[in-house]
């Protein structure tokens, strides 16, 4: 019970502190923080359309948060979710306009699967680099993000460019309507699928042998190896699944919102995934409210810019502060008397460059 | 046993690097003989391209030699590029711009050090926070409609710049490119031949032993991170005040991360990292030149991702061969 309360105190406290400091930044730069936050809230939850917008914004965030959290469990820091997301989105959009003459429901799933596979393969590539060469996944992940941006930029400019008359922008053709994700009872279909993914991730981690193995590797690869687990293979599979989640996120974004792939789409999403995974205490069910929160910030940012005249980049600053407060346990230990940490609650990733996996 | 086999591989490596160095030098001399102008252009460009990477690698290795893994170099560079540019615009002084760029890099270093050393937070997350904060701050305060007020110009050394090949490449250079070369050798000397260097390496390899000898591991780490910030700051100032002349959002483009690969490729030594940075720079410069001469007609997206691909390949091949400092990434807690 106490542990449950505590697992709420840190995220909630982090949100409060990060917004306070964000408010100070707003004040110092000559804006009215109360007006800005009011506009933000109104833009995020003020009406039915804005709530839908919040859920739509939360969808890719949740998928990326889940991807990051899943890799965290094995001690891996998947910062390459951005690249996996982009490849997933691209593959889904290609499947969306290339495959023709299949029934609607079937087409939706085909495109989703294409996105998942593209992201998963790219994630597995980074996992293989980590497992078999020892190259640190943070550096290779960021490099892979740049590579994914470049490759899709090329593909969109040349082989898959929208050649419809009058188009001068580099983008793919619109996907067919048979692959559009429908809204169910007013709730975006993509959001429902991401909720389902959260439950699935929780199930895999809690009730499957693979989940147990992943957790063991995350707790200590040496112990896992001595108990006979094939650590390298588990790392590879972890990154495969993590990449699949991110790629699926990309597919949801294409099929639910954008309906075509355009370069420069969702930059910085990988970092947001990390913030969300940590804000949700690396638990699938914690990630749901965390992604709705960040999604609300993104949904309200436009309104804030429009009616309070505040640059939407303030959101990035608040997110960095959030990440800080969520990780800075020491801070809360000092702030709240009687707050003591139990073993295993402190977050720590595999240290060093990991030459000896 | 371990030392003997290590010495053997070291001498093998030395011969390998010596021979490839001679080969590279003869290729350069040959191409200079064929077409001096193009060769000078390529070498100058590779020196310029290597500068931010070498400086970033110096920041990385000063931190890592004392056991701190700094992936926030990218953010430090970005903040430095931003503040250097702003101060230059406000005061009209490039020198003040460079100084405040360096100060911004060091300030970001202090924030990073407070999180990693004082609060013992996970180092990778701390680096991510620095990067995120830098992107957010420079994006939020991004000035619109500011005109650039020029950039650092190349300086020609009297007599020396008249020399063939070496003259225009090494002695007709802009100030930060030139100071980088000096700084590389300075840091190499400091790291391997002074008390500070010995303390740094001791803390990085085995902090408990260093602690027993009366060296406060956490203090060493704290100021090393700030010293590292100096180099990251200079790299940022180079980008906005010398290479481009203006600040652009996200203008570091992953250089802070490529610098880490450069550092690993150079086996955590300043001169090695500089050599690696020069190779990176050379690869980029040759590629640009071939593209320019229309020898190659590869889409720009593919040439654009070349540095990222090289980084991955370098990491995959060299991470197992080159041994990182012993206590890398582990916060030190006194028992």
């Amino acid at each position: 019970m106490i542990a449950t309360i505590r697992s709420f105190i840190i995220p909630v406290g982090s949100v409060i502190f990060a917004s306070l400091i964000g408010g100070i930044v707003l004040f110092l730069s000559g804006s009215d923080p109360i007006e800005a936050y009011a506009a933000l809230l109104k833009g995020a939850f003020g009406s039915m359309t804005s709530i839908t917008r919040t859920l739509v914004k939360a969808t890719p965030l949740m998928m990326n948060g889940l991807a990051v959290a899943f890799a965290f469990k094995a001690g891996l820091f998947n910062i390459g979710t951005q690249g996996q997301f982009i490849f997933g989105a691209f593959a889904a959009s290609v499947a969306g306009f290339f495959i023709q003459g299949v029934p609607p429901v079937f087409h939706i799933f085909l495109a989703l699967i294409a996105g998942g596979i593209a992201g998963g393969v790219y994630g597995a590539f980074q996992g293989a680099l980590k497992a078999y060469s020892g190259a640190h996944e943070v550096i290779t992940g960021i490099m892979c993000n740049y590579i994914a941006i470049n490759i899709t930029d090329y593909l969109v400019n040349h082989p898959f460019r929208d050649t419809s008359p009058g188009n001068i922008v580099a983008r793919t053709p619109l996907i067919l309507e048979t692959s559009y994700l429908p809204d169910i009872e007013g709730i975006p279909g993509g959001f429902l699928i991401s909720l389902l993914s959260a439950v699935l991730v929780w199930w895999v981690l809690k009730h499957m042998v693979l989940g147990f193995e992943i957790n063991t590797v995350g707790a200590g690869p040496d112990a896992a190896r001595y108990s006979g687990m094939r650590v390298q293979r588990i790392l590879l599979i972890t990154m495969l699944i993590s990449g699949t989640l991110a790629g699926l996120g990309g597919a949801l974004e294409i099929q639910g919102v954008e309906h075509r792939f355009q370069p420069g789409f969702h930059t910085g999403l990988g970092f947001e995934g990390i913030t969300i995974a940590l804000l949700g205490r690396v638990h699938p069910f914690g990630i749901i409210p965390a992604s709705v929160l960040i999604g609300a910030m993104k949904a309200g940012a436009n309104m804030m810019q429009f009616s309070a005249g505040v640059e939407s980049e303030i959101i990035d600053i608040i997110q960095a502060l959030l990440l800080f407060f969520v990780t800075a346990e020491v801070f809360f230990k000092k702030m709240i008397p009687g707050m003591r940490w139990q073993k295993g609650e402190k977050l720590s990733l595999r240290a060093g460059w990991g030459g000896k996996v | 046993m371990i030392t003997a086999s290590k010495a053997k591989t070291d001498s093998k490596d030395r011969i390998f690097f010596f021979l490839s160095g001679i080969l590279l030098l003869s290729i350069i001399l040959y191409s200079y003989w064929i077409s001096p102008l193009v060769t000078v252009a390529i070498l100058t460009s590779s020196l310029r391209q290597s500068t931010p990477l070498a400086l970033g690698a110096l920041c990385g290795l000063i931190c890592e030699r004392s056991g701190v893994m700094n992936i926030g170099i990218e953010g430090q560079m970005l903040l430095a590029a931003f503040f250097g540019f702003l101060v230059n615009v406000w005061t009209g002084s490039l020198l003040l711009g460079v100084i405040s760029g360096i100060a911004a890099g060091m300030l970001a270093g202090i924030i990073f050090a407070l999180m990693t050393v004082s609060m013992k937070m996970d180092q990778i997350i701390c680096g991510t926070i620095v990067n995120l904060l830098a992107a957010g701050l420079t994006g939020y305060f991004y000035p619109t409609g500011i005109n650039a007020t020029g950039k650092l110009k190349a300086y020609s050394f009297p007599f020396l710049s008249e020399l063939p090949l070496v003259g225009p490449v090494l002695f007709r250079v802009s100030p930060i490119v030139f100071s980088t070369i000096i700084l590389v050798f300075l840091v190499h000397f400091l790291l391997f031949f002074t008390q500070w260097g010995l303390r740094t390496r001791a803390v990085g390899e085995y902090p408990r032993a260093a602690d027993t000898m009366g060296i406060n591991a956490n203090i060493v780490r704290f100021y090393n991170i700030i010293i590292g910030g100096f180099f990251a700051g200079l790299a940022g100032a180079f980008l906005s005040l010398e290479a481009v002349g203006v600040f652009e959002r996200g203008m570091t483009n992953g250089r802070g991360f490529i610098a880490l690969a450069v550092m690993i490729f150079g086996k955590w030594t300043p001169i090695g990292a500089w050599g690696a940075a020069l190779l990176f720079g050379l690869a980029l410069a040759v590629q640009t030149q071939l593209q320019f001469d229309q020898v190659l007609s590869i889409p720009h997206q593919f040439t654009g991702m070349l540095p990222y691909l090289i980084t991955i390949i370098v990491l995959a091949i060299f991470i197992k061969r080159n041994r990182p400092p012993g206590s890398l990434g582990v916060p030190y807690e006194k028992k």
Side-chain angles (χ1 to χ4, degrees):
Chain A
M1 186 58 204
I2 290 166
T4 333
I5 292 173
R6 197 161 42 208
S7 65
F8 279 104
I9 287 179
I10 292 174
V12 172
S14 301
V15 172
I16 293 171
F17 279 114
S19 329
L20 274 178
I21 296 183
I24 293 172
V25 173
L26 282 173
F27 183 73
L28 291 179
S29 59
S31 309
D32 182 358
I34 295 168
E35 189 196 345
Y37 283 143
L40 185 87
L41 280 177
K42 191 161 168 269
F45 299 110
S47 65
M48 210 47 218
T49 33
S50 49
I51 291 174
T52 314
R53 191 163 54 227
T54 295
L55 295 185
V56 163
K57 295 270 182 199
T59 306
L61 297 170
M62 199 191 301
M63 295 308 291
N64 277 275
L66 286 172
V68 172
F70 195 83
F72 262 148
K73 290 288 179 188
L76 291 169
F77 200 83
N78 185 5
I79 209 163
T81 49
Q82 156 121 59
Q84 295 144 17
F85 179 87
I86 287 177
F87 269 150
F90 185 79
S93 61
V94 170
F97 69 75
F98 232 66
I99 302 171
Q100 292 181 346
V102 282
V105 179
F106 199 57
H107 197 180
I108 291 175
F109 282 104
L110 275 181
L112 285 178
I113 289 167
I117 289 176
V121 168
Y122 207 41
F125 168 65
Q126 290 161 46
L129 273 175
K130 167 79 177 183
Y132 298 103
S133 83
H136 198 284
E137 73 275 12
V138 168
I139 310 287
T140 57
I142 287 165
M143 297 298 114
C144 284
N145 290 345
Y146 285 110
I147 291 173
I149 290 170
N150 274 300
I151 290 180
T152 50
D153 192 41
Y154 167 76
L155 292 174
V156 167
N157 264 296
H158 300 287
F160 293 101
R161 195 187 168 107
D162 178 14
T163 50
S164 57
N167 174 42
I168 48 161
V169 194
R171 60 182 191 195
T172 61
L174 270 179
I175 58 172
L176 300 180
E177 273 186 41
T178 43
S179 60
Y180 281 21
L181 274 171
D183 286 6
I184 296 161
E185 303 281 327
I187 300 168
F191 186 74
L192 293 175
I193 292 181
S194 59
L195 284 182
L196 201 68
S197 311
V199 177
L200 258 170
V201 165
W202 171 79
W203 177 263
V204 168
L205 287 172
K206 187 95 183 169
H207 293 285
M208 272 178 67
V209 179
L210 178 68
F212 174 72
E213 287 178 329
I214 288 172
N215 280 314
T216 316
V217 170
D222 288 334
R225 189 175 298 109
Y226 295 140
S227 63
M229 293 176 189
R230 291 156 74 181
V231 174
Q232 288 166 322
R233 221 180 109 226
I234 293 167
L235 289 179
L236 184 69
I237 294 173
T238 307
M239 282 300 284
L240 175 79
I241 296 175
S242 175
T244 307
L245 288 166
L248 201 58
L252 294 179
E253 191 65 4
I254 289 294
Q255 292 172 257
V257 190
E258 307 274 338
H259 301 310
R260 66 158 33 117
F261 186 87
Q262 230 168 336
F265 147 100
H266 284 294
T267 45
L269 203 71
F271 291 115
E272 279 160 0
I274 290 160
T275 312
I276 288 161
L278 292 173
L279 191 62
R281 303 300 283 169
V282 201
H283 191 288
F285 298 149
I287 286 166
I288 297 172
S291 54
V292 171
L293 178 83
I294 305 279
M297 277 163 55
K298 295 182 79 154
N302 286 335
M303 176 70 99
M304 189 173 67
Q305 190 154 21
F306 181 70
S307 71
V310 174
E311 296 289 328
S312 58
E313 275 92 354
I314 188 73
I315 300 300
D316 294 336
I317 301 178
I318 295 177
Q319 274 190 48
L321 293 166
L322 259 179
L323 188 55
F324 166 75
F325 284 116
V326 169
T327 336
E329 288 108 343
V330 184
F331 182 78
F332 283 97
K333 263 193 228 172
K334 289 225 170 96
M335 289 293 294
I336 303 161
M339 189 90 171
R340 298 177 81 213
W341 249 249
Q342 288 165 345
K343 247 196 158 154
E345 222 176 327
K346 188 175 166 151
L347 185 94
S348 172
L349 303 162
R350 187 98 50 79
W353 289 99
K356 52 166 188 356
V357 174
Chain B
M1 278 308 278
I2 293 166
T3 48
S5 70
K6 192 175 181 297
K8 208 171 155 194
T9 55
D10 266 9
S11 71
K12 243 192 195 162
D13 277 6
R14 280 216 182 114
I15 294 168
F16 172 74
F17 282 116
F18 185 68
L19 288 179
S20 35
I22 287 180
L23 184 69
L24 196 63
L25 201 65
S26 31
I27 292 173
I28 290 172
L29 286 176
Y30 176 72
S31 77
Y32 184 65
W33 184 55
I34 302 260
S35 64
L37 274 178
V38 173
T39 312
V40 166
I42 288 182
L43 290 183
T44 312
S45 145
S46 48
L47 201 60
R48 289 176 69 83
Q49 303 255 29
S50 73
T51 296
L53 302 181
L55 287 170
L58 284 181
C59 172
L61 73 90
I62 289 174
C63 295
E64 297 215 349
R65 278 285 179 168
S66 60
V68 178
M69 193 164 169
N70 184 356
I71 68 158
I73 300 173
E74 176 89 358
Q76 288 177 286
M77 278 190 194
L78 196 62
L79 273 178
F82 180 70
F83 279 106
F85 174 67
L86 275 193
V87 169
N88 175 33
V89 169
W90 288 335
T91 64
S93 155
L94 283 161
L95 182 70
L96 276 180
V98 172
I99 291 173
S100 41
I102 292 172
M106 292 171 87
L107 195 69
I110 292 176
I111 297 172
F112 182 74
L114 280 173
M115 292 191 288
T116 49
V117 180
S118 312
M119 302 176 75
K120 299 194 181 5
M121 287 160 61
D122 184 274
Q123 293 175 358
I124 301 259
I125 295 176
C126 294
T128 311
I129 292 172
V130 171
N131 292 334
L132 212 55
L133 203 58
L137 285 174
T138 56
Y140 181 68
F141 291 106
Y142 182 74
T144 41
I146 282 189
N147 288 323
T149 50
K151 51 183 182 177
L152 291 166
K153 294 273 177 342
Y155 175 78
S156 292
F157 289 80
F159 310 119
L160 286 171
S161 59
E162 303 301 322
L163 293 169
L165 184 63
V166 194
V169 174
L170 279 184
F171 298 109
R172 205 176 293 159
V173 290
S174 34
I176 298 180
V177 173
F178 189 75
S179 15
T180 304
I181 303 173
I182 296 173
L183 283 171
V184 164
F185 287 95
L186 181 70
V187 174
H188 203 89
F189 171 75
L190 290 175
L191 194 58
F192 293 107
F193 300 100
T194 63
Q195 192 195 32
W196 167 77
L198 185 63
R199 286 189 170 176
T200 298
R201 286 178 291 136
V203 168
E205 288 302 333
Y206 197 50
R208 182 131 299 138
D211 203 0
T212 324
M213 295 296 290
I215 302 167
N216 189 324
N218 285 330
I219 288 180
V220 170
R221 285 180 175 180
F222 204 97
Y223 62 64
N224 271 11
I225 294 173
I226 300 173
I227 296 169
F230 173 90
F231 296 100
L234 194 59
F238 170 82
L239 289 175
S240 67
L241 297 177
E242 199 167 296
V244 184
V246 288
F247 177 81
E248 291 153 15
R249 280 194 178 103
M251 74 184 301
T252 42
N253 253 326
R255 285 191 184 83
F257 299 103
I258 298 176
L260 289 172
V262 161
M263 167 198 76
I264 291 168
F265 194 29
K267 295 190 169 180
W268 285 268
T269 65
I271 293 178
W274 187 52
L278 283 177
L279 276 182
F280 257 82
L282 190 65
L284 292 173
V286 166
Q287 173 262 115
T288 320
Q289 188 66 38
L290 291 179
Q291 196 88 351
F292 186 72
D293 290 345
Q294 306 197 316
V295 177
L296 291 178
S297 58
I298 305 170
H300 72 91
Q301 291 94 347
F302 287 102
T303 52
M305 69 190 195
L306 193 70
Y308 311 122
L309 264 179
I310 301 178
T311 302
I312 290 180
I313 294 167
V314 162
L315 277 179
I317 296 175
F318 287 93
I319 194 71
K320 268 195 182 154
R321 299 186 43 194
N322 300 354
R323 197 186 64 86
S327 74
L328 190 61
V330 189
Y332 179 63
E333 278 176 84
K334 249 183 166 160
K335 282 254 159 77

